[in-house]
Amino acid sequence: MLTKIKILVPVKRVIDAALKPRINKTKTGIESKGVKYSINPFDDIAVEEACKMRKSHKDLIESIHAVSIGSLKAKEVLRTALAKGVDTSSLVDVGDEEVEPLVVSKILKSFVEREGSNLVVLGKQAIDDDSNQVGQMLAGLLGWSQATNAAKVTIGNDGTVEVEREIDGGVEIVKAPLPMVITTDLRLNEPKFVTLPKMMKAKKKPLEVVKPQDLNIELTKKLETISLEEPASRKAGVIVNNVDELISKLKELKAL
C-alpha cells in the first residue's frame, strides 16, 4: 500500500514582480512603503504544482498545507494559496523582521514535523533576496532527498518522484522516493488566475497565526546589510567593422 502524500508549500509575500524596486533613502534596503505586494512568482508555481498533483493523484494526495513567514499582511498570499486549492495554512508572524534563509529553513522543518509532511514543494528562490538557499538547507536539516529547479514533476505508481531539471547541457532527470524536497523553476507550469468567488470561499478555510517562539525558533541574524546601491549605468556599445578592429578595441579595454 502506497503512503499517502502530505504536501507542505511555503509561500512568501514580495514586492510585485511587475514593479521595479527602489532603494530606500538610508540605502539599507528596498523601499517597501506605497508599493504593491503579491505572492512570490516561484512560490505561485509551487502552489499550482501541488494542486495539479492532487488533481492527477486524488487517492494519493491527502492534504496540502501552506506556510508563510512575515507580517500579518502576508495573510493575503495565504488566501491566494487557499483559493487555488490549498486546504489549510499557517502564518508565522515575525512583524517587519527580515528572516534569513537558515532560520526560514528551521521554521519550515518544524512545520514538516508538526504536519507530518513527506513532500515539500517550494519556489527555487524569492525575487526579493534571490538567495536560492531555503530548499537546499531544508533538505539538509531534514536529511531528505532534494530535486532543485524542477521543470517537470512526475509521481510514479510506486510512490517515487521523477523530476526533470533544465541544465546547461540539456535536461537532467533525477528520481527518488519520498520524503523529498522539490524547488520549482519557471517552466514547470503557468499559474492560473484566481477568481473572486474562489477568493471569497478561501476566507472560510483555516488560517492560523503563530509566533516563532511557539515553534521554539529564535530569530538570530548572521548577516548585516552595510549599504545598497543601484548598479552602474551601462555605457553605449561600439560597432566595429571587422575582427581586427574588434581585437584592437578589446586590447584598449584590457579585455585581452
Side-chain angles (χ1 to χ4, degrees):
M1 182 177 178
L2 293 177
T3 303
K4 290 285 187 177
I5 299 177
K6 301 182 77 172
I7 305 175
L8 184 76
V9 186
V11 295
K12 187 176 183 180
R13 177 178 179 264
V14 299
I15 294 176
D16 192 272
L19 301 179
K20 181 181 178 181
R22 294 177 290 110
I23 296 175
N24 60 25
K25 293 181 180 179
T26 59
K27 294 188 176 183
T28 55
I30 299 299
E31 182 57 62
S32 59
K33 295 180 180 178
V35 296
K36 180 184 177 184
Y37 279 78
S38 59
I39 186 171
N40 177 51
F42 290 101
D43 296 338
D44 200 10
I45 291 170
V47 171
E48 185 73 25
E49 192 64 21
C51 295
K52 279 178 62 180
M53 287 178 183
R54 171 140 68 190
K55 288 181 181 179
S56 302
H57 304 276
K58 293 180 180 179
D59 298 331
L60 194 56
I61 309 298
E62 182 176 331
S63 63
I64 305 173
H65 186 83
V67 180
S68 189
I69 303 167
S71 69
L72 292 176
K73 293 178 181 178
K75 284 184 178 181
E76 63 189 55
V77 299
L78 287 173
R79 292 296 182 201
T80 299
L82 292 167
K84 284 176 174 285
V86 169
D87 302 308
T88 55
S89 62
S90 301
L91 170 62
V92 182
D93 180 14
V94 296
D96 294 325
E97 190 80 22
E98 289 187 18
V99 186
E100 294 178 4
L102 181 57
V103 178
V104 171
S105 303
K106 289 179 179 179
I107 291 174
L108 295 180
K109 179 177 181 288
S110 69
F111 273 98
V112 166
E113 295 168 346
R114 196 188 75 165
E115 298 294 323
S117 307
N118 53 1
L119 177 60
V120 181
V121 184
L122 70 160
K124 70 173 185 177
Q125 65 197 76
I127 62 171
D128 51 3
D129 59 15
D130 278 329
S131 293
N132 195 347
Q133 296 176 350
V134 172
Q136 294 89 325
M137 286 181 173
L138 177 60
L141 291 173
L142 291 168
W144 287 8
S145 301
Q146 60 176 299
T148 58
N149 302 2
K152 183 179 179 181
V153 178
T154 305
I155 300 176
N157 294 328
D158 58 353
T160 59
V161 182
E162 183 178 285
V163 177
E164 291 186 11
R165 308 172 63 247
E166 293 183 357
I167 58 175
D168 291 340
V171 176
E172 179 183 60
I173 299 176
V174 295
K175 183 185 289 187
L178 297 173
M180 190 177 190
V181 175
I182 297 174
T183 69
T184 62
D185 208 346
L186 284 174
R187 278 175 282 279
L188 180 58
N189 62 55
E190 188 172 342
K192 296 182 180 65
F193 178 76
V194 181
T195 61
L196 182 59
K198 287 184 177 180
M199 286 297 293
M200 297 302 291
K201 288 181 181 178
K203 291 184 178 180
K204 298 179 181 179
K205 290 186 176 182
L207 195 165
E208 66 166 347
V209 179
V210 298
K211 295 284 188 179
Q213 50 266 37
D214 299 330
L215 307 169
N216 296 317
I217 301 292
E218 186 178 348
L219 300 183
T220 56
K221 280 196 172 185
K222 298 183 182 296
L223 303 174
E224 179 185 0
T225 300
I226 305 299
S227 66
L228 198 63
E229 297 179 3
E230 292 278 359
S233 300
R234 289 188 65 179
K235 296 180 180 179
V238 177
I239 298 176
V240 295
N241 298 313
N242 51 56
V243 174
D244 291 337
E245 195 175 338
L246 173 61
I247 293 173
S248 177
K249 289 290 183 183
L250 291 174
K251 286 182 177 178
E252 285 180 23
L253 296 171
K254 295 182 179 180
L256 282 180

